[in-house]
Amino acid sequence: MSAPSPHDRSRTDDEDDPVERMISRTGCAELHYAVQECMAEKQDWRACQKQVQTFKDCMMSFQKARREQLMKEHLKPTESAHS
């Protein structure tokens, strides 16, 4: 019997991986998997720059939205204290 592929997303041990959980919360998981698959196929990160950039752009968008959300939450108590 052959071992499961490291990129097989049906494995349950991925669900316990904190990095996998964090990436799936960003909405960028599929792009992350595309980077992993490209790297496994090409064996050269330079050949995967399109996938890397797309994943990076997704993560940057998530981080920007998260920062904005945190700023709004941080400013809410201050605004209501002045009312």
Side-chain angles (χ1 to χ4, degrees):
M1 181 153 86
S2 65
S5 164
H7 302 290
D8 177 5
R9 297 293 152 217
S10 64
R11 298 182 338 175
T12 58
D13 61 341
D14 285 343
E15 294 169 12
D16 295 331
D17 182 352
V19 174
E20 293 286 334
R21 284 195 312 266
M22 184 275 303
I23 291 173
S24 66
R25 284 193 297 261
T26 68
C28 303
E30 290 303 315
L31 299 171
H32 172 69
Y33 300 143
V35 170
Q36 288 182 323
E37 289 172 18
C38 181
M39 301 265 292
E41 179 184 324
K42 308 280 186 189
Q43 298 292 308
D44 183 354
W45 64 270
R46 295 170 293 190
C48 302
Q49 289 307 293
K50 179 180 158 213
Q51 293 87 343
V52 169
Q53 188 62 50
T54 304
F55 175 61
K56 179 182 176 184
D57 292 344
C58 182
M59 290 298 291
M60 296 291 280
S61 293
F62 171 79
Q63 290 172 345
K64 181 181 178 196
R66 181 73 177 132
R67 248 189 326 270
E68 289 171 0
Q69 177 187 8
L70 290 172
M71 287 299 290
K72 285 180 185 176
E73 290 174 6
H74 180 71
L75 293 176
K76 254 183 191 176
T78 306
E79 290 172 358
S80 60
H82 294 299
S83 300

XYZ file of all heavy atoms in Angstrom:
672
model
N 0.850 -1.172 0.000
C 0.000 0.000 0.000
C 0.895 1.233 0.000
O 1.846 1.327 0.754
C -0.888 -0.026 1.251
C -1.812 1.168 1.287
S -3.317 0.885 2.184
C -2.905 1.235 3.847
N 0.563 2.219 -0.852
C 1.386 3.418 -0.938
C 0.935 4.448 0.087
O -0.226 4.494 0.478
C 1.335 4.002 -2.350
O 0.038 4.444 -2.619
N 1.863 5.287 0.491
C 1.563 6.355 1.458
C 0.731 7.427 0.770
O 0.881 7.668 -0.425
C 2.859 6.936 1.991
N -0.153 8.096 1.522
C -0.945 9.172 0.915
C -0.050 10.339 0.498
O 0.995 10.581 1.092
C -1.912 9.589 2.026
C -1.334 9.066 3.283
C -0.463 7.901 2.925
N -0.481 11.037 -0.516
C 0.250 12.200 -1.002
C 0.290 13.270 0.078
O -0.698 13.480 0.775
C -0.449 12.756 -2.248
O 0.004 14.052 -2.530
N 1.399 13.987 0.229
C 1.450 15.063 1.228
C 0.497 16.209 0.885
O 0.190 17.040 1.709
C 2.898 15.533 1.192
C 3.446 15.049 -0.104
C 2.652 13.829 -0.480
N -0.003 16.234 -0.344
C -0.915 17.294 -0.771
C -2.362 16.824 -0.796
O -3.230 17.537 -1.288
C -0.504 17.825 -2.141
C 0.894 18.345 -2.119
N 1.242 19.495 -1.449
C 2.039 17.856 -2.627
C 2.538 19.692 -1.572
N 3.046 18.708 -2.276
N -2.620 15.648 -0.245
C -3.983 15.122 -0.183
C -4.709 15.825 0.951
O -4.446 15.606 2.115
C -3.935 13.606 0.061
C -5.315 12.995 0.198
O -6.323 13.707 0.023
O -5.382 11.782 0.487
N -5.653 16.703 0.628
C -6.351 17.530 1.617
C -7.453 16.784 2.351
O -8.120 17.366 3.196
C -6.936 18.776 0.946
C -5.873 19.647 0.370
C -5.048 20.244 1.496
N -3.711 20.500 1.008
C -2.617 20.348 1.726
N -2.667 19.967 2.954
N -1.452 20.585 1.206
N -7.641 15.497 2.067
C -8.663 14.739 2.778
C -8.119 14.145 4.079
O -8.864 13.623 4.876
C -9.210 13.617 1.891
O -8.183 12.683 1.591
N -6.824 14.263 4.288
C -6.221 13.716 5.510
C -6.668 14.508 6.726
O -6.752 15.722 6.692
C -4.692 13.748 5.418
C -4.169 12.904 4.299
C -2.688 12.872 4.214
N -2.053 14.009 4.854
C -0.757 14.148 4.997
N 0.051 13.251 4.537
N -0.249 15.209 5.586
N -6.933 13.807 7.804
C -7.423 14.481 9.003
C -6.304 15.146 9.803
O -6.582 16.056 10.559
C -8.182 13.506 9.920
O -7.302 12.438 10.256
C -9.424 12.983 9.233
N -5.041 14.730 9.632
C -3.980 15.356 10.428
C -3.759 16.811 10.026
O -3.296 17.615 10.817
C -2.675 14.562 10.379
C -2.091 14.430 8.988
O -2.828 14.630 8.005
O -0.898 14.098 8.893
N -4.150 17.204 8.806
C -4.062 18.606 8.407
C -4.999 19.477 9.239
O -4.740 20.642 9.459
C -4.414 18.784 6.926
C -3.298 18.315 6.010
O -2.158 18.165 6.510
O -3.558 18.100 4.823
N -6.106 18.901 9.674
C -7.079 19.657 10.445
C -6.522 20.056 11.812
O -6.983 21.011 12.409
C -8.358 18.848 10.603
C -9.070 18.630 9.273
C -10.176 17.618 9.356
O -10.564 17.242 10.483
O -10.650 17.202 8.304
N -5.529 19.341 12.295
C -4.929 19.632 13.583
C -3.711 20.542 13.463
O -3.146 20.960 14.459
C -4.532 18.336 14.288
C -5.740 17.485 14.631
O -6.826 18.057 14.854
O -5.604 16.253 14.662
N -3.300 20.850 12.259
C -2.134 21.675 12.021
C -2.506 23.145 12.218
O -3.363 23.669 11.500
C -1.631 21.430 10.600
C -0.371 22.212 10.271
O 0.040 23.074 11.080
O 0.194 21.967 9.205
N -1.888 23.834 13.172
C -2.254 25.228 13.425
C -2.004 26.144 12.219
O -2.743 27.094 11.998
C -1.390 25.636 14.611
C -0.363 24.577 14.755
C -0.867 23.346 14.078
N -0.989 25.852 11.424
C -0.727 26.666 10.231
C -1.852 26.480 9.227
O -2.352 27.451 8.652
C 0.648 26.317 9.611
C 0.849 27.048 8.291
C 1.770 26.627 10.584
N -2.280 25.233 9.025
C -3.393 24.959 8.116
C -4.660 25.676 8.585
O -5.381 26.251 7.781
C -3.659 23.451 8.022
C -2.557 22.675 7.362
C -2.497 22.865 5.861
O -3.532 23.168 5.237
O -1.391 22.708 5.304
N -4.920 25.639 9.889
C -6.118 26.312 10.427
C -6.027 27.821 10.205
O -7.005 28.455 9.805
C -6.290 26.005 11.915
C -6.828 24.620 12.180
C -7.331 24.462 13.616
N -6.411 24.939 14.635
C -5.524 24.189 15.271
N -5.419 22.907 14.991
N -4.741 24.702 16.192
N -4.861 28.395 10.439
C -4.686 29.831 10.271
C -4.889 30.229 8.811
O -5.610 31.176 8.515
C -3.288 30.251 10.746
C -3.019 31.734 10.723
S -2.453 32.465 9.172
C -0.999 31.542 8.795
N -4.285 29.493 7.906
C -4.417 29.826 6.491
C -5.853 29.646 6.023
O -6.365 30.473 5.260
C -3.435 28.996 5.633
C -2.000 29.445 5.928
C -3.754 29.143 4.144
C -0.936 28.600 5.285
N -6.546 28.623 6.493
C -7.930 28.426 6.050
C -8.833 29.555 6.537
O -9.782 29.920 5.856
C -8.465 27.056 6.482
O -8.565 26.977 7.867
N -8.507 30.173 7.672
C -9.306 31.309 8.167
C -9.119 32.564 7.316
O -9.953 33.452 7.337
C -8.942 31.633 9.624
C -9.539 30.659 10.606
C -9.438 31.174 12.029
N -8.072 31.337 12.481
C -7.399 30.472 13.238
N -7.983 29.360 13.626
N -6.170 30.722 13.606
N -8.043 32.628 6.551
C -7.781 33.808 5.731
C -8.583 33.817 4.446
O -8.714 34.861 3.817
C -6.289 33.901 5.353
O -5.971 32.827 4.455
C -5.395 33.896 6.572
N -9.076 32.660 4.033
C -9.746 32.557 2.739
C -8.759 32.327 1.607
O -9.142 32.332 0.441
N -7.498 32.116 1.933
C -6.448 31.953 0.917
C -5.931 30.514 0.832
O -4.901 30.270 0.191
C -5.277 32.885 1.240
S -5.722 34.631 1.362
N -6.616 29.581 1.433
C -6.120 28.205 1.512
C -5.906 27.576 0.140
O -4.878 26.933 -0.095
C -7.052 27.338 2.351
N -6.862 27.746 -0.763
C -6.715 27.131 -2.079
C -5.488 27.665 -2.805
O -4.799 26.924 -3.501
C -7.979 27.340 -2.921
C -9.175 26.533 -2.432
C -8.904 25.032 -2.361
O -8.314 24.489 -3.318
O -9.279 24.416 -1.355
N -5.188 28.943 -2.628
C -4.006 29.531 -3.251
C -2.729 28.989 -2.606
O -1.724 28.772 -3.289
C -4.062 31.054 -3.149
C -5.263 31.693 -3.854
C -5.345 33.177 -3.521
C -5.225 31.456 -5.343
N -2.780 28.757 -1.312
C -1.650 28.153 -0.601
C -1.390 26.747 -1.134
O -0.244 26.373 -1.390
C -1.952 28.119 0.896
C -0.968 27.357 1.705
N 0.320 27.785 1.904
C -1.086 26.186 2.381
C 0.962 26.907 2.667
N 0.137 25.942 2.971
N -2.467 25.990 -1.316
C -2.325 24.635 -1.854
C -1.778 24.668 -3.277
O -0.983 23.810 -3.668
C -3.651 23.888 -1.820
C -4.216 23.751 -0.422
C -5.586 23.827 -0.200
C -3.388 23.569 0.678
C -6.113 23.712 1.078
C -3.904 23.467 1.965
C -5.266 23.533 2.153
O -5.793 23.421 3.407
N -2.169 25.677 -4.066
C -1.650 25.805 -5.433
C -0.143 26.031 -5.413
O 0.588 25.474 -6.244
C -2.356 26.941 -6.166
N 0.342 26.831 -4.464
C 1.787 27.047 -4.317
C 2.462 25.724 -3.964
O 3.473 25.344 -4.573
C 2.102 28.113 -3.243
C 3.602 28.150 -2.941
C 1.614 29.480 -3.679
N 1.904 25.001 -2.995
C 2.491 23.723 -2.584
C 2.534 22.729 -3.744
O 3.538 22.044 -3.943
C 1.698 23.112 -1.432
C 1.881 23.829 -0.127
C 1.122 23.156 1.006
O 0.018 22.653 0.808
N 1.713 23.150 2.177
N 1.442 22.653 -4.491
C 1.382 21.715 -5.612
C 2.386 22.090 -6.696
O 3.064 21.223 -7.253
C -0.029 21.652 -6.172
C -0.981 20.944 -5.237
C -2.434 21.032 -5.672
O -2.697 21.330 -6.853
O -3.301 20.791 -4.818
N 2.495 23.376 -7.000
C 3.462 23.829 -7.998
C 4.875 23.480 -7.557
O 5.671 22.964 -8.339
C 3.314 25.328 -8.227
S 4.473 25.972 -9.472
N 5.180 23.756 -6.300
C 6.519 23.477 -5.788
C 6.823 21.974 -5.830
O 7.947 21.583 -6.159
C 6.671 24.006 -4.364
C 6.431 25.491 -4.268
S 7.857 26.518 -4.357
C 8.674 26.132 -2.857
N 5.827 21.156 -5.522
C 6.031 19.710 -5.559
C 6.252 19.237 -6.999
O 7.099 18.372 -7.256
C 4.830 18.996 -4.946
N 5.511 19.835 -7.915
C 5.615 19.443 -9.323
C 6.897 19.945 -9.974
O 7.612 19.204 -10.642
C 4.408 19.985 -10.081
C 4.408 19.662 -11.564
C 3.245 20.304 -12.283
O 2.151 20.396 -11.701
O 3.444 20.729 -13.435
N 7.207 21.215 -9.780
C 8.341 21.846 -10.476
C 9.669 21.664 -9.748
O 10.717 21.785 -10.366
C 8.097 23.346 -10.648
C 6.775 23.702 -11.274
C 6.793 23.555 -12.741
C 5.470 24.083 -13.292
N 5.280 23.813 -14.670
N 9.619 21.465 -8.429
C 10.831 21.322 -7.625
C 11.751 22.555 -7.733
O 12.961 22.452 -7.552
C 11.613 20.065 -8.040
C 10.859 18.775 -7.835
C 10.654 18.455 -6.364
O 11.594 18.458 -5.603
N 9.427 18.165 -5.988
N 11.137 23.711 -8.052
C 11.905 24.951 -8.178
C 10.961 26.107 -7.898
O 10.062 26.383 -8.699
C 12.481 25.059 -9.588
C 13.365 26.292 -9.784
O 13.444 27.134 -8.858
O 13.948 26.420 -10.867
N 11.161 26.796 -6.779
C 10.251 27.875 -6.381
C 10.192 28.982 -7.417
O 9.186 29.665 -7.549
C 10.655 28.434 -5.015
C 11.994 29.096 -5.002
C 13.203 28.514 -4.747
C 12.264 30.470 -5.281
N 14.209 29.440 -4.856
C 13.665 30.658 -5.180
C 11.479 31.559 -5.602
C 14.280 31.874 -5.387
C 12.094 32.791 -5.818
C 13.474 32.935 -5.706
N 11.257 29.158 -8.190
C 11.272 30.217 -9.208
C 10.240 29.963 -10.302
O 9.755 30.907 -10.924
C 12.662 30.351 -9.816
C 13.685 30.829 -8.784
C 15.082 30.730 -9.309
N 15.409 29.304 -9.471
C 16.607 28.833 -9.729
N 17.616 29.655 -9.889
N 16.815 27.545 -9.851
N 9.883 28.713 -10.522
C 8.895 28.367 -11.540
C 7.471 28.586 -11.042
O 6.524 28.441 -11.807
C 9.085 26.917 -11.978
N 7.313 28.951 -9.778
C 5.989 29.087 -9.161
C 5.692 30.525 -8.746
O 4.841 30.763 -7.892
C 5.899 28.162 -7.951
S 6.182 26.422 -8.360
N 6.360 31.480 -9.344
C 6.206 32.864 -8.912
C 4.786 33.391 -9.097
O 4.317 34.187 -8.282
C 7.218 33.760 -9.628
C 8.634 33.527 -9.145
C 8.746 33.628 -7.627
O 8.570 34.699 -7.065
N 9.023 32.521 -6.963
N 4.087 32.952 -10.132
C 2.702 33.402 -10.329
C 1.833 32.957 -9.148
O 1.077 33.749 -8.582
C 2.153 32.831 -11.639
C 0.722 33.219 -11.919
C 0.250 32.613 -13.239
C -1.244 32.530 -13.240
N -1.756 31.401 -13.955
N 1.952 31.695 -8.748
C 1.173 31.169 -7.626
C 1.575 31.838 -6.317
O 0.721 32.160 -5.487
C 1.348 29.641 -7.512
C 0.748 28.873 -8.650
C 1.678 28.707 -9.854
O 2.670 29.406 -10.016
N 1.330 27.766 -10.719
N 2.867 32.052 -6.121
C 3.362 32.705 -4.900
C 2.800 34.125 -4.810
O 2.314 34.547 -3.757
C 4.906 32.705 -4.850
C 5.418 33.606 -3.732
C 5.437 31.291 -4.695
N 2.849 34.865 -5.922
C 2.370 36.245 -5.914
C 0.864 36.306 -5.650
O 0.401 37.165 -4.905
C 2.707 36.942 -7.235
C 2.401 38.427 -7.208
C 3.214 39.183 -6.163
O 4.429 39.043 -6.092
N 2.555 39.985 -5.357
N 0.109 35.394 -6.249
C -1.337 35.368 -6.041
C -1.664 35.079 -4.577
O -2.526 35.736 -3.983
C -2.001 34.319 -6.964
O -1.646 34.608 -8.314
C -3.509 34.329 -6.823
N -0.955 34.130 -3.979
C -1.145 33.809 -2.571
C -0.747 35.006 -1.699
O -1.465 35.378 -0.769
C -0.335 32.568 -2.195
C -0.380 32.223 -0.733
C -1.576 31.922 -0.102
C 0.780 32.187 0.023
C -1.615 31.606 1.253
C 0.751 31.870 1.366
C -0.451 31.585 1.985
N 0.372 35.635 -2.024
C 0.836 36.805 -1.272
C -0.199 37.927 -1.333
O -0.507 38.551 -0.308
C 2.171 37.288 -1.830
C 2.711 38.513 -1.134
C 4.013 38.967 -1.765
C 4.490 40.259 -1.129
N 5.698 40.774 -1.767
N -0.742 38.188 -2.522
C -1.754 39.236 -2.674
C -2.985 38.942 -1.823
O -3.536 39.841 -1.182
C -2.158 39.390 -4.144
C -1.040 39.957 -5.008
O -0.055 40.510 -4.459
O -1.156 39.829 -6.248
N -3.405 37.684 -1.806
C -4.566 37.285 -0.997
C -4.284 37.513 0.485
O -5.114 38.076 1.205
C -4.910 35.819 -1.266
S -6.363 35.227 -0.368
N -3.114 37.101 0.938
C -2.766 37.260 2.350
C -2.651 38.740 2.722
O -3.093 39.143 3.800
C -1.448 36.534 2.665
C -1.556 35.025 2.634
S -2.704 34.348 3.850
C -1.836 34.704 5.358
N -2.104 39.554 1.829
C -1.988 40.991 2.104
C -3.380 41.623 2.216
O -3.605 42.458 3.091
C -1.180 41.682 1.003
C 0.271 41.216 0.924
S 1.265 41.736 2.315
C 1.601 43.404 1.835
N -4.291 41.217 1.357
C -5.667 41.733 1.419
C -6.326 41.332 2.736
O -6.997 42.139 3.374
C -6.494 41.203 0.252
O -6.025 41.720 -0.957
N -6.121 40.078 3.142
C -6.682 39.611 4.412
C -6.103 40.421 5.568
O -6.832 40.867 6.450
C -6.400 38.122 4.615
C -6.756 37.659 5.996
C -8.076 37.391 6.334
C -5.782 37.518 6.972
C -8.416 36.984 7.621
C -6.109 37.126 8.257
C -7.424 36.853 8.583
N -4.790 40.613 5.568
C -4.140 41.342 6.657
C -4.612 42.790 6.714
O -4.831 43.331 7.797
C -2.624 41.268 6.518
C -2.085 39.880 6.806
C -0.609 39.739 6.496
O -0.008 40.572 5.819
N -0.018 38.662 6.981
N -4.781 43.413 5.566
C -5.258 44.791 5.534
C -6.676 44.884 6.091
O -6.974 45.753 6.921
C -5.232 45.316 4.098
C -5.699 46.737 3.985
C -5.685 47.219 2.551
C -6.220 48.641 2.500
N -6.584 49.030 1.160
N -7.546 43.977 5.669
C -8.926 43.967 6.165
C -8.952 43.693 7.667
O -9.720 44.318 8.413
C -9.755 42.925 5.420
N -8.108 42.804 8.127
C -8.043 42.473 9.556
C -7.562 43.680 10.363
O -8.099 43.979 11.422
C -7.109 41.280 9.760
C -6.972 40.836 11.193
C -8.217 40.141 11.682
N -7.994 39.681 13.034
C -8.829 39.862 14.027
N -9.980 40.452 13.826
N -8.559 39.434 15.227
N -6.533 44.373 9.846
C -6.033 45.577 10.521
C -7.120 46.635 10.629
O -7.303 47.252 11.679
C -4.845 46.149 9.741
C -3.535 46.050 10.440
C -2.410 46.800 9.764
N -2.432 46.855 8.321
C -1.864 45.968 7.513
N -1.230 44.930 8.008
N -1.916 46.111 6.207
N -7.857 46.833 9.524
C -8.939 47.820 9.525
C -10.024 47.440 10.530
O -10.551 48.289 11.242
C -9.524 47.955 8.119
C -8.575 48.654 7.166
C -9.032 48.607 5.721
O -10.107 48.035 5.425
O -8.300 49.145 4.864
N -10.347 46.152 10.595
C -11.351 45.679 11.549
C -10.885 45.918 12.985
O -11.647 46.402 13.823
C -11.624 44.190 11.330
C -12.606 43.602 12.314
C -12.718 42.091 12.184
O -11.959 41.448 11.465
N -13.673 41.515 12.890
N -9.641 45.618 13.259
C -9.109 45.823 14.608
C -9.075 47.298 14.976
O -9.364 47.662 16.118
C -7.705 45.209 14.728
C -7.648 43.685 14.714
C -6.196 43.216 14.648
C -8.352 43.084 15.910
N -8.747 48.147 14.016
C -8.736 49.586 14.280
C -10.146 50.078 14.608
O -10.328 50.871 15.537
C -8.177 50.352 13.081
C -6.679 50.190 12.910
S -5.725 50.780 14.311
C -5.971 52.534 14.148
N -11.140 49.621 13.872
C -12.524 50.011 14.138
C -12.946 49.559 15.524
O -13.582 50.306 16.264
C -13.462 49.411 13.091
C -13.400 50.107 11.762
C -14.345 49.454 10.776
C -14.190 50.065 9.396
N -15.028 49.396 8.405
N -12.591 48.326 15.880
C -12.942 47.805 17.210
C -12.215 48.582 18.298
O -12.773 48.842 19.354
C -12.608 46.317 17.299
C -13.522 45.455 16.464
C -13.095 44.002 16.436
O -12.146 43.621 17.164
O -13.710 43.242 15.676
N -10.999 48.970 18.046
C -10.200 49.718 19.021
C -10.753 51.133 19.213
O -10.758 51.662 20.315
C -8.741 49.770 18.565
C -7.846 50.522 19.499
N -7.486 50.034 20.736
C -7.246 51.729 19.373
C -6.714 50.925 21.333
N -6.544 51.963 20.521
N -11.228 51.731 18.131
C -11.738 53.097 18.201
C -13.158 53.178 18.741
O -13.564 54.222 19.253
C -11.681 53.759 16.823
C -10.287 54.008 16.272
C -10.377 54.571 14.861
C -9.512 54.966 17.170
N -13.919 52.113 18.676
C -15.311 52.129 19.130
C -15.459 52.602 20.589
O -16.205 53.514 20.839
C -15.948 50.744 18.974
C -16.898 50.664 17.843
C -17.547 49.315 17.796
C -18.303 49.171 16.502
N -18.862 47.875 16.339
N -14.753 52.014 21.542
C -14.919 52.464 22.933
C -14.535 53.921 23.107
O -15.159 54.633 23.876
C -13.975 51.569 23.730
C -13.717 50.392 22.869
C -13.873 50.871 21.444
N -13.537 54.400 22.400
C -13.105 55.795 22.497
C -14.200 56.728 21.999
O -14.504 57.726 22.608
C -11.822 56.008 21.673
O -10.860 55.059 22.105
C -11.290 57.404 21.849
N -14.808 56.367 20.866
C -15.855 57.195 20.304
C -17.065 57.265 21.230
O -17.633 58.322 21.459
C -16.285 56.659 18.935
C -15.210 56.851 17.878
C -15.560 56.143 16.573
O -16.608 55.488 16.514
O -14.781 56.254 15.626
N -17.465 56.134 21.806
C -18.643 56.126 22.665
C -18.370 56.826 24.002
O -19.269 57.349 24.638
C -19.133 54.702 22.898
O -18.132 53.925 23.508
N -17.129 56.903 24.440
C -16.773 57.581 25.686
C -16.931 59.091 25.542
O -17.173 59.787 26.515
C -15.349 57.231 26.102
N -16.766 59.591 24.302
C -16.890 61.020 24.053
C -18.306 61.447 23.761
O -18.561 62.626 23.629
C -15.976 61.427 22.879
C -14.521 61.263 23.189
N -13.877 61.931 24.192
C -13.587 60.482 22.615
C -12.611 61.575 24.236
N -12.403 60.686 23.271
N -19.229 60.532 23.642
C -20.622 60.873 23.284
C -21.415 61.358 24.462
O -21.225 61.063 25.575
C -21.329 59.662 22.712
O -20.646 59.233 21.571
